[in-house]
Amino acid sequence: VTPGPAPSAVLVSDQPSDTACAGEDFVFDASGSTGALSYEFFVDGVSTGAPSTTPTVTLSLTDSQTVRVDAFPTAIGTGCML
């Protein structure tokens, strides 16, 4: 078995300079990821939900929280990820 390449995750937000005022939401978009068919988003290392084929998520964040996305090569959130 020869494994295929792992997806390359790319995450961008809709807020200029990644800054929002209190009460404003961020829309994060991972559709620029290559080789990905599903995505799992995390805030401060905690999953926001099960992997999904939807490459966007809307989040309300507090000061200094970090967001990451894991990109998977299958539609069910399995396989090698990045």
Side-chain angles (χ1 to χ4, degrees):
V1 173
T2 303
S8 176
V10 175
L11 185 63
V12 296
S13 84
D14 67 331
Q15 295 290 342
S17 303
D18 293 332
T19 303
C21 294
E24 289 184 325
D25 290 337
F26 282 85
V27 177
F28 290 93
D29 187 349
S31 63
S33 302
T34 57
L37 295 177
S38 61
Y39 312 85
E40 183 175 5
F41 294 90
F42 296 81
V43 176
D44 289 340
V46 178
S47 177
T48 63
S52 166
T53 57
T54 303
T56 58
V57 67
T58 301
L59 301 169
S60 292
L61 302 174
T62 60
D63 236 3
S64 302
Q65 285 187 299
T66 58
V67 176
R68 105 167 183 259
V69 64
D70 287 351
F72 297 93
T74 67
I76 57 172
T78 60
C80 299
M81 61 168 194
L82 185 59

